Amino acid sequence: MIDKETTYVKVNPDSPSSEGVREAGRILREGGLVAFPTETVYGLGASALNPRAVAEIFKAKGRPDDNPLIVHISDKNQVPDLTDEITVQTGRLMEAFWPGPLTIVLHKKPVVPDVVTAGLHTVAVRIPDHPVALEIIKAAGVPVAAPSANSSGKPSPTTAEHVLRDLEGKIDMIVDGGACRVGLESTVIDMTSEPPVILRPGGISREDIEGVLGHVETDINQVSSTGTPRSPGVKYKHYAPKAKVIVVTGDDYAKIFARIAELVSEYRSAAKRVGILASAEMARGYCADEVFPVGSRTRLETVAQNLFYGLRFLDGADVDVIIAEGYPETGIGSAIMNRLIKAAGGRVIYV
Ligand code: AMP
Ligand code: MG
């Protein structure tokens, strides 16, 4: 691929209207690629109505073309441009959670190109809750298709620095708006089936959604500590750092700690460098090569926020093995465990 010159601009989320944002909008409208911050992770955007521009996203990321993108809009009024069908239940979800980390899958109109939806007849839509993202989408004047702005297979980027490292020279612009608040990707819910199905856990919890819709199903292919996906090759995507990742989980934190301590000494006596992704409560007790505290067990939002940062940090510290503590699978904890188990390629130890 011919190297592109990647422009880097900082935009203050408190006063997003700026020359940088207008330039980002212009690039998107004209078919270029712009990485920008959202409240979940950084996104790599292209005009959703321009198939050639969208195809460039897949090239820049090295993303398999059967993995559909999320279309980002800045206003609910844009939804009817993408779909003919907005049910009462869908309207309630939008009202409750938009702008925010909830992606809604709907029947698509023909105007949405196949390359965006990977040939599916549905389109995934959301309004991000980030002033810079909203200003850029408005400036573009078109819906913006955007997956996470990482190289395919790497953990999603939660800072502009991560985006630079993965995509510099491959995209037109990076807009730096600081670190992402949620830190994990959006929840994806399919509203074309009855009852609705959560396809991916994320920033909005199942409990919150059920508070609005009543019972919803969970996709059987979803990765959790209790369910193995039926077709690993297809749905089991790895957010794989270079290092081998192991998750140690269970209800008793003292047991988690003891098992990890054991693993650390085993690996170290085999001359392996070990990094630990630890809760704030237990971080100081470990004796490993690197310990990254992700946050307190009493504030799982913080753990979510720091999770991908921590994985990238430990990978950068050249450890051979990353051992991660597990968390209870409720609320945002479900999304945390989903991402950890994917990073671990299914290597989970129960204590
Ligand atoms: P990313 O933004 O990189 O997390 O990727 C977007 C994700 O959204 C995909 O991997 C799918 O899980 C989901 N998605 C996007 N469009 C659809 C769709 N039409 N149907 C089901 N899931 C979708
Ligand atoms: Mg992604």
Side-chain angles (χ1 to χ4, degrees):
M1 178 186 282
I2 299 162
D3 263 4
K4 285 189 179 177
E5 180 140 357
T6 305
T7 310
Y8 173 93
V9 291
K10 275 198 169 160
V11 173
N12 180 354
D14 294 327
S15 54
S17 176
S18 60
E19 191 42 46
V21 158
R22 282 186 286 279
E23 173 71 2
R26 192 184 59 76
I27 292 173
L28 287 170
R29 202 166 46 246
E30 291 176 0
L33 301 188
V34 177
F36 59 89
T38 79
E39 82 282 26
T40 57
V41 300
Y42 272 73
L44 177 60
S47 165
L49 305 179
N50 180 338
R52 260 196 299 169
V54 174
E56 292 294 317
I57 291 181
F58 287 85
K59 265 199 238 161
K61 284 180 56 100
R63 182 178 176 104
D65 58 14
D66 61 353
N67 194 356
L69 309 182
I70 294 169
V71 176
H72 293 70
I73 54 177
S74 56
D75 194 292
K76 276 183 221 141
N77 296 335
Q78 292 170 282
V79 178
D81 297 341
L82 305 169
T83 184
D84 276 327
E85 215 180 78
I86 305 169
T87 62
V88 173
Q89 293 281 64
T90 298
R92 284 202 188 117
L93 278 187
M94 293 174 179
E95 200 53 48
F97 301 114
W98 280 5
L102 181 71
T103 295
I104 305 179
V105 173
L106 303 162
H107 291 291
K108 85 172 185 80
K109 273 190 174 177
V111 64
V112 183
D114 280 345
V115 62
V116 172
T117 65
L120 297 171
H121 294 116
T122 53
V123 59
V125 188
R126 90 175 183 103
I127 302 184
D129 185 17
H130 194 293
V132 176
L134 291 172
E135 283 294 317
I136 289 175
I137 298 164
K138 274 185 224 162
V142 286
V144 176
S148 50
N150 51 302
S151 295
S152 202
K154 290 261 201 91
S156 293
T158 55
T159 66
E161 164 109 40
H162 295 162
V163 181
L164 259 176
R165 229 172 284 158
D166 282 14
L167 298 177
E168 186 170 23
K170 298 182 173 174
I171 64 178
D172 297 294
M173 189 178 203
I174 296 174
V175 179
D176 183 349
C180 302
R181 173 171 59 80
V182 177
L184 298 179
E185 303 87 345
S186 57
T187 303
V188 179
I189 186 163
D190 183 355
M191 292 304 288
T192 67
S193 48
E194 179 53 47
V197 184
I198 296 181
L199 300 178
R200 170 174 87 180
I204 301 283
S205 71
R206 175 200 187 90
E207 292 84 344
D208 287 343
I209 290 171
E210 291 195 326
V212 174
L213 294 187
H215 175 71
V216 294
E217 299 283 332
T218 299
D219 181 23
I220 43 160
N221 286 305
Q222 211 176 91
V223 180
S224 75
S225 69
T226 46
T228 324
R230 276 199 315 186
S231 50
V234 186
K235 292 265 181 175
Y236 209 36
K237 280 171 286 156
H238 298 230
Y239 295 93
K242 282 176 288 165
K244 167 177 172 179
V245 180
I246 301 170
V247 183
V248 180
T249 194
D251 297 331
D252 183 338
Y253 304 147
K255 280 193 188 163
I256 294 180
F257 179 86
R259 186 74 182 100
I260 292 181
E262 239 172 64
L263 286 168
V264 173
S265 34
E266 281 169 27
Y267 278 109
R268 292 186 86 191
S269 47
K272 301 286 186 203
R273 278 173 53 77
V274 183
I276 299 179
L277 206 59
S279 62
E281 285 81 358
M282 307 215 263
R284 269 188 296 157
Y286 295 113
C287 181
D289 298 285
E290 296 282 349
V291 179
F292 187 93
V294 276
S296 167
R297 289 187 166 273
T298 62
R299 281 192 52 83
L300 289 186
E301 296 76 19
T302 312
V303 175
Q305 195 175 40
N306 294 323
L307 195 74
F308 288 146
Y309 193 97
L311 284 174
R312 281 186 180 250
F313 172 86
L314 290 174
D315 228 17
D318 268 336
V319 295
D320 302 296
V321 187
I322 296 173
I323 307 177
E325 290 178 20
Y327 297 86
E329 286 175 72
T330 55
I332 189 83
S334 305
I336 293 171
M337 286 300 281
N338 171 272
R339 304 309 189 274
L340 277 177
I341 294 166
K342 279 188 185 179
R347 275 182 295 266
V348 185
I349 298 173
Y350 304 91
V351 289

